[in-house]
Each structure stands twice: as structure tokens, then as C-alpha cells.
Amino acid sequence: MSMIDPFGRDISYLRVSVTDRCDFRCTYCMAEDMTFLPKKDLLSLEELERLCSVFIAKGVRKLRLTGGEPLVRKNIMHLVRQLSSHLGNGLDELTLTTNGSQLARFAGDLADCGIRRINVSLDTLDPAKFRQVTRWGELSKVLQGIDAAQAAGLKIKLNAVALKGFNDDEIAPMLRWAHGRGMDLTLIETMPMGEIDADRTDQYLPLSLLRGRLEQEFNLRDIGYKTGGPARYVEVAETGGRLGFITPMTHNFCESCNRVRLTCTGTLYMCLGQEDAADLRTPLRASEGNEMVAQAIDEAIGRKPKGHDFVIDRRTRRPAVSRHMSVTGG
Ligand code: SAM
Ligand code: SF4
């Protein structure tokens, strides 16, 4: 089985935001006084598992849990365990993106469930700046989490959002640190999603500029390495490690998009940068069989848009997409 969209792209990658809640309040992601969804609107873990199973039966081979912070969802390991039973049985990879705050507690269990690689978001190695950007986070906990994950045998890729005047001068030392510990590093451009307290145009830093600066210090060689995500990779001659660039603003990578995103309320977004969505919760709850859900998924894939067009309205300075990244997951 496979799901082919109107532009011939094989949709084999599902990202699931298991909660919109988080124990951090990263300045580029959320406002400090975020309002979260009422708990009653959430799908149960059993419902999420059922929906994921339908996607796997329809051709999804890679599944990423994200959020909000996936590891703060109550009994999350129950869902991970259930989903892991699909590994080697339709599903090639189960993974997650986390802020790392709870990793020290969960790393061993995640590895036991057959998770092999995870993404950890980390924008700075300076404890004070870390507190500033996450508002509520503690760097030492995340570093302990990374230690625990590596000790459990999990491969880690670090994701850092490039923020003008905040961490641009830190990328070179972070790169050396990450590569020295056997971790890839991927840089991400800030996307205008959801209202935050700050003005995004002040934070935005095009990665082409950052790459130019890094090239004064490092030899970067483009390589064809792919992880199934949108990053383009270079190899850094001086460290032997890989550096990825996710450039939704300066370079559109939509032509090879193989993903769709499910929220914790059962809403399916066919594109991170568009508002169009499909409600899967109603057909899921309407019947014990999966035919209606499968049909709703087919209809949704049939209208997956060609691509996104992230722009900030220069007059109103409103974001291009009103929902926060924590709703659809990064
Ligand atoms: N809480 C987890 C974490 O931080 O890894 C998972 C969810 S978070 C929304 C996923 C990724 O999206 C993180 O790497 C985060 O830095 C990134 N992100 C959040 N808001 C963003 C934005 N407006 N533009 C670009 N990346 C963003
Ligand atoms: Fe939470 Fe991740 Fe958003 Fe930071 S980026 S506030 S850790 S969901």
C-alpha cells in the first residue's frame, strides 16, 4: 500500500504531535502565557495508536512523535511501546523530537522499545542564555538527558534554531562540541508560526548568511545524505561530522515533501505552512472499523498542497500561519 499525493509524492512519513503542552516556553515558539487545548479535546493514547496503525497500513514507514514536548504526555511510554510493535512489520523507523528535559528518565525505555535515533533541540550551550530562550528550561537537565541517551545507545541529532544576535556566534563552538560527541547538528530558520511575545522579523537569520560565515572557518562539502526529513547536509572536513540546514524561508524544499502531520486532537495537516486540515477524530469515533478514517485520510492526501509560502505580513507583522509550531509539531 502507498499514499501518493496529486504531485506524485509518496507520503510515507507521519509526524504526530502527542500533546501541545510543554515544560519550556521557547521565545520563538510560544508566548509565555500560552493557552493550551482543554484536556477533554485530546485523543486518548489508544485512539492515537489506532490512527497511527491506519497510517502504517496505508504505507507510512517512518513515524516521529513530537509536540509540544512528547515526553510530558502522561503514560507516553505506553504509546511508544504499542507503536514499536509495528517496527519491522510495516514500520521502518519510530523516533521522536524532544527538548531533552525528561530524557534522563526515559532514555533507557526508549532504547528498549527499538528507538534508534532521536532529535534533541538545543539552541545554546550557555546556561544563562538557555534559560533566556526557553524561559523555563535548565541546561544541565538537558545535558544529563543527552548523556543518558548516548549511554543507552541512542543516536542523537541536535536541532538548533538560528536566532539573529542570540546564538549566531555560538554555532561554530556548538558544531565542534556536537561532532566531538558523535552527534550531527542541524540548523533551522525561524518560521512565522503563531503569535509570540517578540517580533519574529528581529530573530530571523537566513541560513545562507550563517553558512557563509561558517565557511570562513570550516570546509563544508555538500553531500547527498538524507534522513527522510527536509535537511540538506554538508560534511565538515575539520570535524568529520555532518551539518544540516533546514531552510523553509530561503529555499523551498516542498518538491520532495513526503510527510503529513497529525495533532493530538486528530487533525491532519497536509503541510506545516498551510492552514488546510482534515478532521480524523470524527470518522475515528464514528465507527469501530477503520474504513471511514481510511477514506478521510485518502481525501486529505488528495488535496496535499504543492508547497508552503511562509511570509510575514510586513504591514501587520502577523505570522503567515496562525497556529503555533507546538500544535503541529516541528
Ligand atoms: N518540544 C520538542 C522540541 O523542542 O524538540 C518538540 C516540538 S518543537 C515544536 C520541534 C522543533 O520545532 C524544535 O526543534 C523547535 O526548535 C522548532 N521550532 C519551534 N518553533 C519554531 C519556529 N517558529 N520556527 C522554527 N522552528 C521552530
Ligand atoms: Fe516546547 Fe519545543 Fe516549543 Fe520549546 S520548541 S516551547 S521545547 S514545543
Side-chain angles (χ1 to χ4, degrees):
M1 288 289 277
S2 58
M3 294 185 285
I4 308 291
D5 82 354
F7 302 95
R9 296 169 297 192
D10 184 355
I11 309 305
S12 57
Y13 184 179
L14 177 68
R15 294 194 182 192
V16 186
S17 174
V18 296
T19 175
D20 65 328
R21 286 165 198 256
C22 189
D23 51 349
F24 291 1
R25 291 288 182 281
C26 301
T27 51
Y28 51 81
C29 179
M30 296 185 182
E32 186 154 22
D33 62 345
M34 274 289 283
T35 313
F36 294 107
L37 292 163
K39 290 219 167 108
K40 65 171 180 38
D41 287 354
L42 301 198
L43 294 186
S44 67
L45 294 177
E46 287 69 26
E47 287 175 319
L48 276 173
E49 200 275 323
R50 199 178 134 207
L51 268 183
C52 290
S53 301
V54 179
F55 274 99
I56 294 165
K58 292 186 76 58
V60 159
R61 296 193 304 277
K62 174 169 173 174
L63 211 151
R64 176 179 300 278
L65 302 182
T66 174
E69 174 47 41
L71 296 180
V72 303
R73 171 99 195 226
K74 203 167 163 205
N75 290 332
I76 184 64
M77 284 313 301
H78 175 71
L79 178 65
V80 176
R81 234 168 270 122
Q82 296 287 316
L83 293 173
S84 70
S85 67
H86 294 275
L87 282 170
N89 198 3
L91 192 63
D92 295 338
E93 182 169 30
L94 176 61
T95 182
L96 90 162
T97 300
T98 174
N99 65 23
S101 67
Q102 314 290 319
L103 254 185
R105 200 161 114 221
F106 287 112
D109 286 347
L110 291 169
D112 287 347
C113 285
I115 292 193
R116 295 286 165 257
R117 341 177 267 160
I118 58 173
N119 289 355
V120 178
S121 304
L122 185 61
D123 304 320
T124 171
L125 287 171
D126 176 314
K129 280 166 74 179
F130 186 81
R131 169 53 66 108
Q132 189 189 334
V133 73
T134 60
R135 291 196 184 101
W136 296 2
E138 222 179 285
L139 179 65
S140 59
K141 285 216 174 105
V142 175
L143 297 181
Q144 281 162 22
I146 289 175
D147 289 344
Q150 289 196 314
L154 296 173
K155 264 201 101 46
I156 297 180
K157 177 167 80 76
L158 293 183
N159 283 338
V161 175
L163 299 163
K164 187 163 74 186
F166 179 76
N167 62 1
D168 32 356
D169 60 342
E170 244 198 286
I171 301 301
M174 278 182 76
L175 181 83
R176 291 186 199 281
W177 178 79
H179 288 181
R181 294 192 50 155
M183 300 183 282
D184 289 346
L185 172 69
T186 294
L187 305 174
I188 309 175
E189 287 175 338
T190 40
M191 294 170 238
M193 297 187 66
E195 295 282 352
I196 53 170
D197 298 324
D199 184 340
R200 278 219 173 77
T201 42
D202 293 341
Q203 304 177 324
Y204 173 60
L205 176 66
L207 290 187
S208 46
L209 228 158
L210 200 49
R211 180 176 172 154
R213 278 192 228 158
L214 288 171
E215 276 174 334
Q216 294 174 4
E217 198 172 331
F218 299 100
N219 280 299
L220 308 180
R221 186 173 65 86
D222 288 297
I223 51 173
Y225 177 71
K226 284 268 159 217
T227 59
R232 283 156 201 255
Y233 283 90
V234 297
E235 193 179 71
V236 183
E238 288 75 6
T239 61
R242 280 184 295 249
L243 173 66
F245 296 92
I246 300 185
T247 54
M249 307 299 285
T250 52
H251 184 279
N252 210 311
F253 42 62
C254 306
E255 67 276 5
S256 58
C257 181
N258 58 351
R259 348 179 231 295
V260 286
R261 297 155 197 273
L262 182 67
T263 73
C264 57
T265 56
T267 303
L268 186 71
Y269 285 94
M270 285 69 82
C271 175
L272 183 64
Q274 301 275 1
E275 304 282 7
D276 187 32
D279 166 32
L280 300 184
R281 184 174 59 183
T282 306
L284 182 79
R285 289 183 175 170
S287 137
E288 286 194 359
N290 290 332
E291 296 75 22
M292 286 167 76
V293 183
Q295 201 183 337
I297 294 173
D298 286 340
E299 275 165 15
I301 300 292
R303 55 175 212 268
K304 182 170 160 68
K306 190 164 180 206
H308 68 247
D309 186 20
F310 282 123
V311 279
I312 298 177
D313 185 323
R314 288 192 186 281
R315 194 175 49 80
T316 61
R317 301 221 149 194
R318 303 293 293 262
V321 176
S322 61
R323 65 182 189 280
H324 290 86
M325 183 74 102
S326 49
V327 172
T328 355

